[in-house]
Amino acid sequence: MKAAVLYELDTPLKVEDVDLDGPKSREVRVKIAANGVCHSDYSVIHGVLRSRLPVVLGHEGAGIVEEIGPDVDLVKPGDHVVLSFAPYCGHCYYCAIGRPVLCVNMRLTMGKGTLLDGTCRLKKDGKEIHHMAGLSSFAQYAVVPEVSCIKIPDDVPLDKACLVGCGVMTGVGAAINTAKVEPGSSTVVIGCGGVGLNVIQGCALAGAGTIIAVDLMDNKLEYAKEFGATHTINPSREDVVKTVRSLTEKRGADYAFEVIGLGRTIEQAYACARQGGTTIVVGAPSREDTVTIPASSLLTEKIIKGSVYGSC
């Protein structure tokens, strides 16, 4: 099959023929119909997010189940599915306490570039190629754990459904699941790319009264209005923190979301939150980046918390 392979950092992907082994126990082979192009793929290419190389990228996909391995009971051939990059083992500490998005085995799998059993299904000339996020959906087919396949109705367009696999879940989930945005509350979203727009959408769905979108690109701010933003700020023309406070009776926002993944914008989001407010870090920073906050600000009961995959 054809797949897009990354062999070295900061180099173009190579679309070439690779071999794909069949599914093992509790695994499924999916014919990929569509992919979203996520900034996380770009971050792997440039080493911001680390991956073992070579690797087939892609983690925001949808397709049709073509083959199932032994013991599979969640899906069957012909089912339309959205792929989840957070397959859970079901028996580690975090799965046992009902937080499978923090599954230990899933995180180990992502770090090793394998599927849940610790092995790869991709090969080129007999040599292993690693999986991104247990999916590697930048390919014609993918073998994935059955728990990575979320069945959807057949009439849902797959080129739209694929976006639910990462951007929609990560963004909407950050607002509804992680932050638990309350009706009538004030929110600010720093970064209006695909995930940021979905944070805005999640805030709107939750009934937020004030939704402030922040981005350096005016076209993204226009999109933000379509997704539910009530106000927009371009940092090249306005001071973000001062403007947020002016829009929130000088208090700051109840909820401040950072959806870029940079230490300085995380600090900016934290500064935008009111006393007792919550800052949610949605963007994926590099391991080397750091955040500095005033220690005394913690005495105002401000909260800063992370969100992975929208706590889904």
Side-chain angles (χ1 to χ4, degrees), residues 87-122:
Y88 52 91
C89 70
H91 54 74
C92 74
Y93 171 80
Y94 293 103
C95 287
I97 65 170
R99 300 194 68 186
V101 75
L102 299 179
C103 175
V104 171
N105 293 293
M106 178 268 287
R107 288 175 179 270
L108 289 173
T109 294
M110 293 179 74
K112 293 177 182 177
T114 66
L115 299 188
L116 280 176
D117 72 347
T119 63
C120 299
R121 304 291 172 272
L122 295 162

Side-chain angles (χ1 to χ4, degrees), residues 111-146:
K112 293 177 182 177
T114 66
L115 299 188
L116 280 176
D117 72 347
T119 63
C120 299
R121 304 291 172 272
L122 295 162
K123 294 184 178 66
K124 173 74 174 181
D125 299 327
K127 296 181 179 179
E128 283 191 344
I129 297 176
H130 295 94
H131 300 259
M132 180 183 179
L135 297 181
S136 291
S137 57
F138 284 179
Q140 290 177 302
Y141 297 88
V143 168
V144 302
E146 67 169 332

